[in-house]
Amino acid sequence: MLMHWLEPLAGLIESGGPVLVVIAGVAMLLFSVALERWWFFRFHYCPARRSLVARWLACDEHSSWGALTLRGVWTNELIAGLRGPLPWLRLLVVICPLLGLLGTVTGMISVFDSLSVSEVNQARAMADGVARATLPTLSGMAVSVVGLLFITRLEHIIRREQQRLHDRLARAAEDTHA
């Protein structure tokens, strides 16, 4: 029963070659990091943000240079936790199209090699080979585009959270002085 479900996947891997397996591995890594970021934001960042606001409210001084510097350091430390995997995500997104191009080049080499061995000019065989060779490029670009969408969304969330955290801490300090 399980083998029945894996047949299309095996056909896709056979069509795309070994580079397609590497692209699938990079895609799984990229989406695993996306899931981890959601988990981090939901179960680590939000409680840490509440703790930071409570810690800020527990401070006696809120308007001196030292207190504002401390607030900035605490905020930057918390936001740095959100930014942590961004360089790795960008690297994975950049690698995907390059892997796709590698798959296309190796596929085209095998197409031309098989055509030179057969000594028969078959346009249909060449067209099928070119179509199979471009599958890794399509896959690499698709994974890259989805990764870019995720990175853009994550950067938007980080900017929004940084502004919200700054506003919450400033508002909390104002409310205690009023």
Side-chain angles (χ1 to χ4, degrees):
M1 184 69 171
L2 182 62
M3 295 305 288
H4 179 68
W5 287 90
L6 295 178
E7 286 176 13
L9 184 61
L12 184 66
I13 290 171
E14 183 182 324
S15 296
V19 175
L20 198 59
V21 175
V22 175
I23 291 172
V26 170
M28 286 191 299
L29 185 60
L30 186 69
F31 298 131
S32 296
V33 173
L35 183 63
E36 184 273 336
R37 285 291 89 191
W38 174 80
W39 184 270
F40 178 84
F41 183 78
R42 183 87 173 162
F43 296 107
H44 179 73
Y45 174 79
C46 290
R49 180 183 60 204
R50 284 190 290 274
S51 172
L52 181 104
V53 171
R55 214 176 353 155
W56 177 246
L57 287 175
C59 290
D60 294 331
E61 178 62 41
H62 293 115
S63 59
S64 69
W65 178 84
L68 294 176
T69 302
L70 182 62
R71 183 180 80 180
V73 168
W74 286 349
T75 303
N76 289 338
E77 284 178 359
L78 191 58
I79 295 298
L82 287 175
R83 282 200 177 106
L86 273 175
W88 293 106
L89 289 171
R90 286 188 185 111
L91 177 69
L92 292 174
V93 165
V94 167
I95 285 175
C96 283
L98 296 176
L99 286 172
L101 184 60
L102 175 67
T104 298
V105 169
T106 57
M108 292 301 291
I109 288 172
S110 68
V111 166
F112 292 136
D113 187 44
S114 66
L115 285 175
S116 69
V117 170
S118 69
E119 297 182 7
V120 177
N121 293 330
Q122 295 179 353
R124 179 72 182 157
M126 185 172 176
D128 287 343
V130 169
R132 292 174 75 176
T134 56
L135 186 61
T137 299
L138 173 68
S139 302
M141 293 300 284
V143 171
S144 182
V145 166
V146 172
L148 279 174
L149 291 173
F150 172 70
I151 288 173
T152 303
R153 179 69 180 146
L154 183 61
E155 287 175 339
H156 171 74
I157 288 171
I158 291 170
R159 282 191 306 272
R160 182 191 70 200
E161 285 301 314
Q162 189 171 16
Q163 186 61 44
R164 280 184 179 174
L165 186 59
H166 176 72
D167 291 347
R168 281 183 184 169
L169 294 175
R171 195 175 28 226
E174 290 172 2
D175 290 344
T176 59
H177 290 300

